[in-house]
Amino acid sequence: MGAIVVAAVVGIVALSLLAAVLVLSALGIAGTKAINAVHDGGQWWVNRRGRRHHG
């Protein structure tokens, strides 16, 4: 029975890691899109206001 328990634990850990990676990827993609949207929105604001500094 020990081998079955070890296999079950390993499987649970592997699934947990996979789920964590997927969640982090989704958050990273969503964050990147949000940052890009804010950056694009900020660009027109900077252009409208007058460019004071580069970057």
Side-chain angles (χ1 to χ4, degrees):
M1 291 299 284
I4 293 172
V5 171
V6 169
V9 169
V10 168
I12 290 167
V13 169
L15 286 175
S16 302
L17 286 174
L18 181 61
V21 168
L22 289 174
V23 168
L24 287 174
S25 313
L27 286 175
I29 290 167
T32 302
K33 285 185 177 178
I35 289 168
N36 284 338
V38 169
H39 184 69
D40 291 346
Q43 282 297 334
W44 71 261
W45 175 249
V46 168
N47 289 338
R48 204 178 123 223
R49 192 176 62 187
R51 194 178 294 277
R52 290 195 181 138
H53 55 82
H54 293 286

